Amino acid sequence: MTRSVITPLAPICRAPDDAASLDTEALFGEQVAVDDITNGYAHVELATDGYQGWMPAHCLGDLPPPTHQIMVPHSFVTVAADVKSRGQCHLSLGARIHVMAIDNGFSKISLADGFGWVPDCHIAALSAPCDDWVRIAESFLGSPYRWGGRASTGLDCSALVQLSLAAGGHAVPRDSGPQHEIGTPLDDAADLRRGDLVFWAGHVGIMLDRHRLLHANAHHMAVAIEPLPEAAARIAASAGPITAYRRPACP
């Protein structure tokens, strides 16, 4: 059975239990395959990246097929096409939405219990991804770090990479381990340029240029920018040396 995520965020946990640890999150409008329901939790497989786990069943429902996606870190859904209108909920970058109509610079979108409005400048058609995925990654600067998080309200290192590349139309795995296979390997740091990825055991960051690293990390508890040598020296104390430099197969 295929269902859609109808809440702004939906946790995917290791067990059907309120105390189970968070593995990742699904975003509004993403689709999942459901094969079991236990204790109020649905066992799901996320269509976006194949992630499996247990999600609260109330997060699932039916939505029309998505036509657009949110392209800013955070967008509010309002009850009317008016900047003064009351908010209903918020959606994070990567949320999938079905646009019903356009009015006064706002798009009317389908919700599980009706409709709402988001600014046109916050969305893009699924067929028109961003041409600078690193700029998308930069827009998360200052967002809180959260293990397993996958939204502007809190995300981890590999989610920053996955969401940013996805906004550019490039599907990649969720976790930093499989992300080690993205694109092509580089010999050393001297070859780095904007958009290259740097890996450690259990960690990944994005180069903004030859010298600066953007990454979601638990040291700053946020998405932060720092010189690569400084980050590498600090991370080495807990995760060891850099394990790979990779260049994604995209601009």
Side-chain angles (χ1 to χ4, degrees), residues 44-53 162 174:
V44 303
E45 180 175 334
L46 185 59
T48 303
D49 52 28
Y51 225 102
Q52 296 185 28
Q162 185 196 43
R174 169 65 177 88

Side-chain angles (χ1 to χ4, degrees), residues 161 165 172-173 178-185 197 199 246-249:
V161 170
L165 278 165
V172 301
Q179 287 177 0
H180 266 80
E181 304 304 315
I182 292 173
T184 58
L197 303 177
F199 290 90
R246 307 285 298 191
R247 177 161 296 159

Side-chain angles (χ1 to χ4, degrees), residues 16-38:
D17 188 294
D18 291 347
S21 60
L22 176 71
D23 280 342
T24 188
E25 292 175 317
L27 304 173
F28 179 88
E30 289 188 306
Q31 290 192 323
V32 301
V34 179
D35 60 18
D36 186 24
I37 296 181
T38 298

